[in-house]
Amino acid sequence: MSTSTVNVRHLVLGLLTQRPMSGYDIRKFLRSLSWLIGSPSSGSLYPALRALLQNGLVTVDVVPSQDKPSRKVYSITEAGRQTLQEWVERPVAPDTPLKAFVMRLILASNFSRAGLIAHLKQRSSQVTAHRAVLEQMIRALDEKADLGQRLALNYGLAIAGAELGCLDGALDQLLEEPLSEEVMEGARVTNAT
Amino acid sequence: MSTSTVNVRHLVLGLLTQRPMSGYDIRKFLRSLSWLIGSPSSGSLYPALRALLQNGLVTVDVVPSQDKPSRKVYSITEAGRQTLQEWVERPVAPDTPLKAFVMRLILASNFSRAGLIAHLKQRSSQVTAHRAVLEQMIRALDEKADLGQRLALNYGLAIAGAELGCLDGALDQLLEEPLSEEVMEGARVTNAT
DNA sequence: ATGTGCATGTAACTGGTTACATGATTCG
DNA sequence: CGAATCATGTAACCAGTTACATGCACAT
């Protein structure tokens, strides 16, 4: 729990900030981005929901339906929002893998504006550093050249480039429009950083 | 073990096809790409090596050194190569996350040429499909627009684009030079899908 | 002596998957 | 009457991390 490894509980909590959802809803949504961040199995999702419930971070609302089995719709509580907020602004490990970063991105609405910018900048510098490493490794590779290694390194380079482009774009936008409503909207001034 | 989730054992085995290495060597190497694929802790690496050893997939060679502690240098055996080969050409799950794909890429030298091409093509079509999903989701997003979601989806799109570019490039190269020796070398014609 | 880098390892724990079980409702 | 989809759940298992322990060798 220390340096914030994204886990199902936090991800679920994050999704519930957007709208109340049932376990099934969450699964459906996450399956649609499974390629990007993977999607938890029911064996981890449902226990996670139960844990959140027991900690008072969410509430249930059993919604019967005459044409389908009844669903348990979960909503985040104020305590839940607070917990998420605290968690989300915590420092991340220096070598966060892509998946973890994107997961956090999904929770971005729970960042303070400053926090989000800092987060993106941090990622940017991490990726830049790693790209340098990859470039060096590729240069060191040349002749003897294992095919797989070369492919993998090039792949990494391409990903890094894409990330940096994306990050720069997002940062530009964020820094230009200094006080856009949408960004601030959900941002209850929690810890007025 | 069924649909080939990349694990430490296979990754290690793959690295050992390139040159004999000690546990420490492996760690160092993987740490340099930790951003891309993560690097196993000693708590998973060393037991993995032991398991490989017990299964006869690698051999050890204790190399003393007068200025440093002695190292246990592992080499892959013929049985190891065979196991890896069998494993590496196995079908992958339809929604392989990036990390797993890159891991397999690192083992690419153990693919048959046809297998590698098939693998890349498969990835390409997977990514294309997923990109379509992302595009659709972004289109469905518009007004109400959760910031985090938008950022995450754009990120995914950028990654997908980068991957496709990379894959196309690699495929072009592979298809142009039709019968390079190195690639064919280890190549049994598996299931010609 | 004590500290730092190299090098290998282990035990307890955690988070997640797999594979299964259950049940309601609709469709053919 | 199955079969399919919706929907929730559980228990056994597994891979990996954390945090620790060990020991060599060289430098200060």
Side-chain angles (χ1 to χ4, degrees):
Chain A
M1 272 285 209
S2 58
T3 343
S4 89
T5 318
V6 199
N7 57 19
V8 188
R9 267 185 310 292
H10 293 299
L11 184 58
V12 165
L13 209 48
L15 293 180
L16 291 179
T17 58
Q18 289 163 44
R19 62 187 168 94
M21 290 169 108
S22 70
Y24 200 79
D25 290 338
I26 294 173
R27 263 165 76 69
K28 249 193 326 196
F29 177 77
L30 288 181
R31 254 203 302 271
S32 70
L33 335 121
S34 66
W35 171 76
L36 205 51
I37 57 173
S39 75
S41 59
S42 57
S44 67
L45 178 59
Y46 288 111
L49 283 168
R50 179 138 53 93
L52 290 174
L53 192 61
Q54 277 168 351
N55 287 43
L57 306 183
V58 300
T59 56
V60 214
D61 196 10
V62 179
V63 177
S65 146
Q66 73 277 61
D67 58 329
K68 286 176 187 176
S70 49
R71 306 149 14 94
K72 288 187 174 181
V73 176
Y74 293 88
S75 311
I76 192 167
T77 64
E78 201 44 47
R81 282 181 199 279
Q82 217 163 314
T83 300
L84 181 62
Q85 183 99 27
E86 272 160 30
W87 176 81
V88 96
E89 302 252 16
R90 242 150 67 182
V92 291
D95 273 2
T96 313
L98 178 62
K99 171 185 163 178
F101 178 72
V102 176
M103 275 195 181
R104 289 184 143 258
L105 221 43
I106 291 178
L107 314 182
S109 323
N110 305 283
F111 277 96
S112 68
R113 182 187 151 81
L116 180 55
I117 290 175
H119 192 56
L120 296 182
K121 278 188 174 164
Q122 192 196 5
R123 178 77 184 172
S124 175
S125 74
Q126 276 179 24
V127 175
T128 303
H130 193 79
R131 183 174 57 172
V133 173
L134 288 180
E135 273 163 356
Q136 203 189 332
M137 287 178 87
I138 287 178
R139 244 174 286 123
L141 215 60
D142 81 319
E143 308 301 328
K144 55 191 190 149
D146 176 73
L147 172 65
Q149 218 132 308
R150 192 191 299 285
L151 280 174
L153 294 178
N154 272 331
Y155 223 78
L157 221 53
I159 301 290
E163 281 203 50
L164 288 175
C166 208
L167 287 166
D168 286 349
L171 280 169
D172 275 1
Q173 255 187 293
L174 275 172
L175 294 171
E176 266 174 33
E177 38 170 287
L179 286 170
S180 81
E181 296 305 319
E182 321 115 34
V183 182
M184 294 308 283
E185 178 174 288
R188 292 141 322 117
V189 188
T190 43
N191 45 5
T193 324
Chain B
M1 274 287 213
S2 59
T3 345
S4 89
T5 318
V6 199
N7 57 21
V8 189
R9 266 185 311 290
H10 294 299
L11 184 59
V12 165
L13 209 48
L15 293 180
L16 290 181
T17 58
Q18 288 161 47
R19 62 188 167 94
M21 290 168 109
S22 70
Y24 201 80
D25 290 338
I26 293 172
R27 264 164 76 72
K28 248 192 326 194
F29 177 77
L30 289 181
R31 254 203 302 272
S32 69
L33 328 125
S34 66
W35 171 77
L36 205 52
I37 57 172
S39 75
S41 59
S42 57
S44 66
L45 178 59
Y46 288 112
L49 283 168
R50 179 137 53 92
L52 290 173
L53 191 61
Q54 277 166 351
N55 287 43
L57 306 182
V58 300
T59 56
V60 215
D61 196 10
V62 180
V63 176
S65 145
Q66 72 277 63
D67 59 331
K68 288 176 187 178
S70 49
R71 305 148 16 93
K72 287 187 175 183
V73 176
Y74 293 86
S75 311
I76 192 168
T77 65
E78 202 43 48
R81 281 180 200 279
Q82 215 163 315
T83 300
L84 181 63
Q85 183 100 26
E86 272 159 30
W87 175 80
V88 96
E89 302 253 17
R90 242 153 64 183
V92 290
D95 274 3
T96 312
L98 177 62
K99 172 186 162 178
F101 177 72
V102 176
M103 273 194 183
R104 287 185 144 259
L105 221 44
I106 291 178
L107 314 183
S109 324
N110 305 284
F111 277 96
S112 68
R113 182 188 151 83
L116 179 56
I117 290 175
H119 192 55
L120 296 181
K121 278 189 175 163
Q122 192 196 5
R123 178 77 185 171
S124 177
S125 73
Q126 276 179 24
V127 175
T128 304
H130 193 79
R131 184 174 59 172
V133 173
L134 288 180
E135 273 163 357
Q136 203 189 331
M137 289 179 86
I138 287 179
R139 246 175 282 122
L141 214 60
D142 79 319
E143 307 301 327
K144 53 188 191 154
D146 176 73
L147 171 66
Q149 220 133 304
R150 192 192 297 289
L151 280 175
L153 294 179
N154 272 329
Y155 224 79
L157 221 52
I159 302 290
E163 281 203 50
L164 289 175
C166 210
L167 287 167
D168 286 350
L171 280 169
D172 275 0
Q173 256 186 293
L174 275 172
L175 294 171
E176 266 174 33
E177 38 171 284
L179 286 169
S180 83
E181 296 306 318
E182 321 112 36
V183 183
M184 292 307 282
E185 186 169 281
R188 284 116 20 91
V189 187
T190 44
N191 44 5
T193 322

